[in-house]
Amino acid sequence: MTTDLRICPICEATCGLTLTIEDGRVTGARGDAEDVFSAGFICPKGASFAELDGDPHRLTGPLVRRDGQLVEVSWTEAFDAVAEGLGAVLAEHGGKSVGVYVGNPNAHTVAGALYGSMVIKALGTRSVFSASTLDQMPKQVALGHLLGNPFAFAVPDLDRTEHLVIIGANPLVSNGSLATAPDFPGKLKALRKRGGKLTVIDPARTRTAALADWHLAPRPGTDAALLFAVVHVLFDEDLVAEDLGGIAAHVRGVDEVRTLAADFPPEAVAAYCDIAADDIRTLAREIAAARSAAVYGRMGTTTVEFGTVGSWLIEVINVLTGNLDRPGGVLFPLSATAAKPRPPRPGRGFATGRWHSRVSGHPEVASELPAAALAEEIDTPGDGQLKALITIAGNPVLSAPDGERLTRALAGLGFMISIDPYLNATTRHADVILPPPPPSQSPHYDFVLNNLAVRNNARYSPPVLPLDGRPDETEILARIALLIFGVGVHADPALPDEQVIRGALTKEVADPDSPVAGRDVDELIAMLAIGPGYERRLDMMLRLGPYGDGFGADPAGLTLQRLLDAPHGVDLGPPRPRLPEVLRTPSGQLELAPLPLVADTLRLREALDRRADGLLLIGRRQLRSNNSWMHLPGGTNRCTLQIHPDDAAELGLTDVAVVKGPGGELLIPVEVTDGIRPGVVSIPHGWAEANVNRLNDGSVLDPLSSTSVLNGIPVEVSAVDPVPSG
Ligand SMILES: Nc1nc2c(c(=O)[nH]1)N[C@H]1C(S)=C(S)[C@@H](COP(=O)(O)OP(=O)(O)OC[C@H]3O[C@@H](n4cnc5c(=O)[nH]c(N)nc54)[C@H](O)[C@@H]3O)O[C@H]1N2
Ligand SMILES: Nc1nc2c(c(=O)[nH]1)N[C@H]1C(S)=C(S)[C@@H](COP(=O)(O)OP(=O)(O)OC[C@H]3O[C@@H](n4cnc5c(=O)[nH]c(N)nc54)[C@H](O)[C@@H]3O)O[C@H]1N2
Ligand code: SF4
Ligand SMILES: [Mo]
């Protein structure tokens, strides 16, 4: 029996695990107490790493469709099938006729971070869809307009804040999102222990809300109005921080925001949000009065009708109370593989709608089209119709609205490839399934999530076990890229990496602000680690990055070798203020009142008069599940309709209910609980037996971000008599 270290790839917390290895397989997992970032924390999912890794349902080899059936073939045959099927589509219709759907696990894998974009670029397709438009895209759009950079996430400083306001997030169960923090629960308890305050705004009394000092339960979908009222009070009661906490010189548009907020006094939104005006005033006063405060919003604030406006207002409050870019407020992490900060300079800014979807004309956002439009782009005939689809770690049939239509659309596709370890509702339509090896045989570095970390750090896990005669996911994607580039699917998979490396270094040496300005590219390439392409790229990024050795310029700086020598990771300290360096707006300023957002406030004002009478559906996450692909047995891990006792009584609900939504209906067991407010019901997503997204027809999107409204959907619920047994 031996042990080895591996960062957990399941959720955004990135906990370090100590794995037990027996007879060439992982048999156990516990928290790595010496991990510089997670210090031993582990949750039930991480503790099940061995079961996940050795899951007998995992595909061990590729499947190819022959005479309508998916059959097991060798890897050579599978890549030949890719070459034949995709090659034919490329030859006849070109790369633009191929759609790509990129799912959530891409944020957790080395392959997803480094190779997915390679495939997309090679195709030259504009039909890129991802889980982002079912998730955080509104936040990216808000940041894009505010800062000129849609990837500059401001993360709550959990370890130092004095007042944390959590809106539409349940980190006790999700373990945090867009705020990478192992042991989020422990950090919330520590906040309260040091005398800080936790406020939670959520229509459900979640585990997180139950821990809070104060829980406000608004009607779903109304947070943007509530937040505007908070902004109103900040101006009305003269609570805006002096000099905006030190960043006023970098901020434009405060007066415009003041003018807009005039229309949203608490008294005008109270009925719409179903929150007392006095409570809104108290909230504003408490955020302003705290020595430091951080307003943090997630799924409940993004996947709603006013997702982008709400995400914007969260940062507006952080700015006005002096909490943006200061310790204890919200800060911009600086990851070790990010570009080394350059002197502040104006950027090109941010715009959406550079192209539009063919069928419904949805604007492109961050180079993506809405996931909700995938089905219609496949099943609507005409010029530009998608002929082939590649799914990379995604299950849109269950994750996106109107899975029924997508199921039919996928069945009618010319050719489909899924890179996925499981046969599921989506991948079963593929012509070729290419399963990556389990996590134990895959490398891990958090290229994406370190940009969201509450403490800067760098940790690398090489594969713990050797590949059992199969390609890893980086090779699978590299081979597909090689095919599209016309080099052939069986060419050397290291070629694309070497091309990326040469391209990146050529740019760096020409940049006078680069740590390697003026140096010789070949000399730099010769200095890179010897190993797989992804390690060479990681080494390059680390060495060029903010903590890097600059290829020898700073011998104490980071290199891949330094990470290999520090298997529990390298701590890089708490995030530090980064304004104005993160700003990329054309003005070089933080634009507090960007035009698209100002324009969308009109829609919000009009909504205030609307008052839906029926039930509104929201979602929830479960500690022992992960989206559609991991449902550990036991505990409360069931797919049920949660409903308040008063509503259940009025509807005469007992065991099973029929839920009808704009897109369809489903039968589901009833769970009566006062943990949810009256007028609201909740169903978790990702369950094939009762796919909540059948209820959603996908027609309602937040217009600024093309993101699906998944929370606050009007539904009708009625009783079904249980089928008599016997
Ligand atoms: N109603 C409703 N719908 C929702 C949500 C909601 O709250 N309510 N949440 C939305 C959110 S936030 C998200 S992120 C999306 C998720 O949407 P998706 O990303 O489409 O779905 P997942 O369920 O995460 O599926 C991930 C897929 O990746 C595969 N997979 C797992 N590990 C790996 C790996 O290492 N490599 C590869 N190649 N594949 C892997 C799994 O088998 C699965 O097929 O769902 C969204 N849908
Ligand atoms: N255990 C587990 N962990 C996960 C996942 C999982 O499936 N299971 N998925 C991962 C993924 S992909 C993501 S994106 C993150 C998501 O992480 P979170 O956003 O923290 O998780 P959710 O449970 O979706 O929390 C959304 C909360 O918003 C509330 N809500 C719904 N509508 C509204 C509204 O209109 N206003 C307000 N204020 N609140 C509202 C819901 O009641 C819910 O408590 O979790 C990640 N972690
Ligand atoms: S919290 Fe997330 S990263 Fe940590 S052990 Fe659990 S699933 Fe893994
Ligand atoms: Mo997500």
Side-chain angles (χ1 to χ4, degrees):
M1 193 185 92
T2 56
T3 61
D4 213 332
L5 301 172
R6 173 69 164 78
I7 299 161
C8 178
I10 302 171
C11 90
E12 295 181 44
T14 72
C15 303
L17 306 179
T18 305
L19 304 180
T20 315
I21 293 156
E22 290 170 274
D23 299 328
R25 55 190 193 91
V26 179
T27 54
R30 56 195 156 79
D32 170 18
E34 290 172 65
D35 185 285
V36 296
F37 189 48
S38 64
F41 179 78
I42 191 169
C43 84
K45 284 184 294 177
S48 303
F49 184 95
E51 288 83 340
L52 171 79
D53 204 64
D55 185 351
H57 291 111
R58 243 174 220 285
L59 298 173
T60 52
L63 302 180
V64 169
R65 191 171 302 279
R66 300 238 160 102
D67 302 323
Q69 300 294 315
L70 284 168
V71 295
E72 284 182 39
V73 297
S74 72
W75 279 97
T76 307
E77 288 171 296
F79 283 118
D80 283 338
V82 169
E84 194 184 319
L86 187 60
V89 174
L90 292 174
E92 195 176 343
H93 304 285
K96 286 198 162 53
S97 72
V98 183
V100 182
Y101 177 89
V102 183
N104 170 273
N106 286 290
H108 305 263
T109 61
V110 167
L114 299 184
Y115 296 79
S117 56
M118 197 182 256
V119 170
I120 291 167
K121 255 191 222 149
L123 286 169
T125 179
R126 287 181 162 183
S127 296
V128 179
F129 307 82
S130 90
S132 293
T133 51
L134 307 167
D135 189 347
Q136 84 291 350
M137 192 61 97
K139 196 152 187 150
Q140 283 178 241
V141 173
L143 294 170
H145 290 307
L146 282 160
L147 310 167
N149 181 353
F151 301 102
F153 291 97
V155 170
D157 189 0
L158 297 182
D159 293 326
R160 293 178 288 189
T161 192
E162 293 299 317
H163 186 181
L164 179 63
V165 181
I166 296 182
I167 315 180
N170 185 12
L172 251 66
V173 169
S174 69
N175 285 306
S177 182
L178 301 186
T180 283
D183 198 10
F184 213 121
K187 289 184 186 298
L188 296 186
K189 285 170 196 153
L191 158 72
R192 299 200 55 222
K193 224 168 171 182
R194 66 175 177 264
K197 178 159 186 167
L198 175 64
T199 299
V200 172
I201 302 177
D202 196 309
R205 195 179 66 243
T206 60
R207 288 186 196 215
T208 308
L211 186 78
D213 297 277
W214 194 24
H215 173 206
L216 289 164
R219 285 181 56 237
T222 64
D223 300 83
L226 184 123
L227 291 161
F228 236 142
V230 169
V231 174
H232 177 99
V233 177
L234 294 177
F235 286 115
D236 190 42
E237 301 189 8
D238 214 4
L239 300 172
V240 174
E242 200 187 322
D243 198 31
L244 301 179
I247 64 166
H250 306 299
V251 179
R252 288 208 321 192
V254 175
D255 288 335
E256 283 98 313
V257 173
R258 180 200 309 266
T259 306
L260 293 168
D263 286 345
F264 294 88
E267 296 70 23
V269 308
Y272 171 70
C273 305
D274 202 11
I275 297 287
D278 279 349
D279 283 341
I280 300 176
R281 288 193 181 270
T282 303
L283 178 64
R285 288 174 197 145
E286 287 188 352
I287 297 171
R291 246 182 312 157
S292 65
V295 185
Y296 162 68
R298 268 314 272 121
M299 282 297 284
T301 58
T302 51
T303 50
V304 290
E305 208 184 337
F306 297 99
T308 306
V309 174
S311 300
W312 164 56
L313 292 169
I314 284 172
E315 303 311 345
V316 166
I317 296 171
N318 285 325
V319 168
L320 293 178
T321 55
N323 284 301
L324 186 100
D325 204 39
R326 87 160 172 204
V330 296
L331 288 159
F332 301 99
L334 184 58
S335 120
T337 52
K340 195 181 174 80
R342 307 295 210 256
R345 64 187 151 88
R348 259 178 292 172
F350 172 79
T352 61
R354 291 170 299 170
W355 56 87
H356 289 79
S357 70
R358 178 179 65 100
V359 181
S360 290
H362 296 299
E364 154 280 338
V365 176
S367 303
E368 294 185 22
L369 297 177
L374 176 58
E376 67 183 25
E377 291 296 319
I378 296 172
D379 70 16
T380 311
D383 230 20
Q385 182 181 9
L386 291 183
K387 303 293 183 200
L389 180 70
I390 304 176
T391 70
I392 310 174
N395 191 0
V397 167
L398 291 188
S399 310
D402 204 356
E404 312 281 278
R405 179 173 180 184
L406 187 55
T407 299
R408 289 192 301 273
L410 296 181
L413 260 178
F415 190 68
M416 173 171 165
I417 304 171
S418 289
I419 294 117
D420 203 291
Y422 289 106
L423 189 58
N424 61 30
T426 296
T427 62
R428 71 189 173 84
H429 298 288
D431 297 287
V432 182
I433 305 181
L434 304 169
S440 60
Q441 296 175 33
S442 310
H444 192 94
Y445 184 88
D446 282 298
F447 289 97
V448 177
L449 299 172
N450 282 350
N451 290 308
L452 306 162
V454 297
R455 195 172 167 97
N456 294 317
N457 71 91
R459 294 167 299 151
Y460 174 57
S461 314
V464 165
L465 296 174
L467 286 165
D468 51 9
R470 59 198 289 184
D472 70 10
E473 191 163 359
T474 70
E475 181 179 334
I476 294 173
L477 290 170
R479 289 201 180 284
I480 294 175
L482 284 169
L483 169 78
I484 305 164
F485 282 130
V487 193
V489 78
H490 298 296
D492 181 0
L495 276 175
D497 293 310
E498 295 311 313
Q499 206 177 6
V500 168
I501 288 169
R502 184 165 292 277
L505 288 173
T506 303
K507 250 168 108 181
E508 283 283 334
V509 297
D511 176 350
D513 294 317
S514 166
V516 294
R519 289 179 60 181
D520 178 60
V521 170
D522 288 310
E523 177 217 327
L524 299 178
I525 290 176
M527 290 174 77
L528 287 176
I530 311 274
Y534 59 80
E535 284 196 350
R536 290 169 60 75
R537 288 171 68 185
L538 173 57
D539 192 31
M540 174 184 74
M541 293 165 84
L542 289 169
R543 301 178 82 164
L544 294 173
Y547 314 92
D549 83 333
F551 285 82
D554 174 7
L558 278 189
T559 60
L560 178 66
Q561 190 56 49
R562 256 203 77 201
L563 289 195
L564 290 167
D565 293 341
H568 304 285
V570 174
D571 177 42
L572 299 167
R576 285 174 200 83
R578 289 187 58 202
L579 282 185
E581 160 233 317
V582 292
L583 299 175
R584 285 292 172 275
T585 50
S587 64
Q589 302 276 92
L590 189 158
E591 297 286 357
L592 205 60
L595 262 181
L597 287 153
V598 171
D600 209 31
T601 59
L602 185 66
R603 196 169 59 93
L604 180 61
R605 257 194 332 250
E606 283 165 358
L608 296 184
D609 302 327
R610 245 191 288 143
R611 194 61 224 254
D613 305 318
L615 292 169
L616 292 175
L617 173 71
I618 62 170
R620 67 177 187 273
R621 281 178 160 71
Q622 296 163 304
L623 201 52
R624 298 171 65 81
S625 287
N626 203 45
N627 294 340
S628 73
W629 62 279
M630 187 178 185
H631 298 293
L632 299 173
T636 54
N637 205 10
R638 288 175 61 218
C639 182
T640 59
L641 174 85
Q642 290 188 338
I643 187 164
H644 189 270
D646 294 351
D647 291 327
E650 197 185 311
L651 295 166
L653 293 188
T654 48
D655 295 338
V656 180
V658 190
V659 184
K660 282 194 187 136
E665 59 180 73
L666 56 79
L667 281 179
I668 186 165
V670 173
E671 181 184 341
V672 178
T673 167
D674 67 357
I676 193 152
R677 53 160 283 160
V680 179
V681 293
S682 128
I683 301 177
H685 72 285
W687 292 82
E689 52 271 47
N691 176 10
V692 66
N693 286 324
R694 292 171 60 150
L695 301 175
N696 191 335
D697 66 5
S699 65
V700 189
L701 306 183
D702 165 43
L704 293 187
S705 65
S706 292
T707 298
S708 289
V709 173
L710 302 172
N711 282 298
I713 296 171
V715 289
E716 282 171 34
V717 178
S718 53
V720 185
D721 296 328
V723 181
S725 56

